Amino acid sequence: LVANDIQLDTPHFSSNSQLRLTFSAQHSPHLDLRTRLRDGQLAAVRHYLPAHIMSPTLVRWSDRALRDGQIVQSDLILNGPLDRFPYFTKGEGTFSVTTQIRASTFAFHPDWPPLQIDQAQLVFERHQLRATLTAGRLLNSSVKARARIAHLSSLSSRLQLDITADGPTPDLSTLLQAPTLSPTIRQLAAQIQTSGTAHSEVQIHLPLRSRGNPARVNGTIHLTDTDLQLPDVRLSQMTG
């Protein structure tokens, strides 16, 4: 079965597809499907995500995290035996969805401020989700970021988020008071008053299963002409 020009128009997007479906008496049907989607609404993506291969935790997370915005273009490739879809763990086939988005909001965790996305790329491939943010904002800082969920079907799914940010130092104090961080860090951040600018490189590991689970945060901060005040200490014009 071959179809070379399948046009689809929905309230959420337009698409064009080509497919070849091959039947065999000895093996599962083999599908080669290529689809290009255009002018989509990101908030509607959850209606078309492969929810059957995602854990319930991840389905709830994606419903909350993927908010307003526009899908510029999305390309789906499914090529392989249908009885092995979607994992193809032994190289039997390919399943991927690559999506370009803009003007969106990524609410990655209820305890953290959302990322405002100017331009980004999302990639679903087999059992993984990867995202690359090439331009955006977090609070008042300009950011670039990479995100990854290694196992979409796992009940203990974790989001790995690598952020590079340039902006005012008070943004750092706000982020370090997130409820998912340890009480010691939150209490220290609440006492710090700063002014100046910073270049930050931060790695965040967030559990998606429920609120209250601890996050792991590592990173480096480069300060420029920064004033810092603690209850008993005041430092001025720090650089480094």
Side-chain angles (χ1 to χ4, degrees):
L1 175 64
V2 176
N4 291 320
D5 189 11
I6 304 172
Q7 303 284 342
L8 180 63
D9 290 305
T10 79
H12 304 133
F13 62 83
S14 299
S15 69
N16 178 270
S17 301
Q18 301 83 42
L19 71 82
R20 178 184 295 271
L21 183 59
T22 305
F23 297 92
S24 168
Q26 292 78 30
H27 304 287
S28 172
H30 186 286
L31 177 63
D32 183 359
L33 171 67
R34 313 296 170 106
T35 296
R36 171 160 292 180
L37 179 152
R38 302 171 303 279
D39 301 325
Q41 300 173 21
L42 188 60
V45 163
R46 63 181 182 272
H47 299 303
Y48 305 95
L49 290 176
H52 65 288
I53 69 169
M54 298 163 63
S55 70
T57 296
L58 191 57
V59 172
R60 290 191 296 270
W61 175 81
S62 64
D63 286 347
R64 182 186 68 245
L66 298 173
R67 295 188 180 178
D68 52 356
Q70 183 179 6
I71 297 173
V72 180
Q73 181 173 296
S74 185
D75 291 294
L76 178 148
I77 299 175
L78 196 173
N79 185 7
L82 292 180
D83 63 344
R84 301 296 179 89
F85 171 80
Y87 295 116
F88 302 129
T89 54
K90 297 182 180 179
E92 310 94 328
T94 299
F95 172 62
S96 67
V97 182
T98 302
T99 304
Q100 309 291 334
I101 65 174
R102 65 185 178 193
S104 178
T105 301
F106 180 36
F108 57 90
H109 196 279
D111 291 337
W112 294 69
L115 282 167
Q116 303 299 327
I117 298 173
D118 296 331
Q119 295 179 351
Q121 181 185 76
L122 304 178
V123 179
F124 284 92
E125 189 169 15
R126 295 181 182 174
H127 56 270
Q128 296 187 12
L129 168 64
R130 304 189 306 274
T132 302
L133 170 64
T134 54
R137 300 193 70 79
L138 180 63
L139 296 175
N140 297 301
S141 299
S142 60
V143 300
K144 296 181 180 180
R146 293 182 181 274
R148 180 172 179 262
I149 299 175
H151 300 285
L152 295 178
S153 60
S154 173
L155 292 175
S156 58
S157 299
R158 298 182 68 92
L159 171 68
Q160 177 181 329
L161 188 60
D162 299 329
I163 298 176
T164 300
D166 292 279
T169 53
D171 281 3
L172 296 173
S173 298
T174 300
L175 294 174
L176 291 175
Q177 295 179 60
T180 49
L181 298 180
S182 71
T184 301
I185 293 177
R186 299 202 310 268
Q187 291 169 10
L188 178 61
Q191 298 178 56
I192 296 176
Q193 297 182 21
T194 65
S195 62
T197 59
H199 172 82
S200 306
E201 297 177 3
V202 181
Q203 297 82 45
I204 304 173
H205 296 261
L206 282 169
L208 303 181
R209 187 165 188 175
S210 66
R211 298 182 62 169
N213 289 334
R216 300 203 313 267
V217 180
N218 301 292
T220 58
I221 300 171
H222 302 274
L223 303 174
T224 303
D225 294 330
T226 296
D227 296 336
L228 182 149
Q229 182 172 339
L230 290 166
D232 300 319
V233 179
R234 179 180 177 84
L235 301 173
S236 300
Q237 296 182 326
M238 293 187 301
T239 297

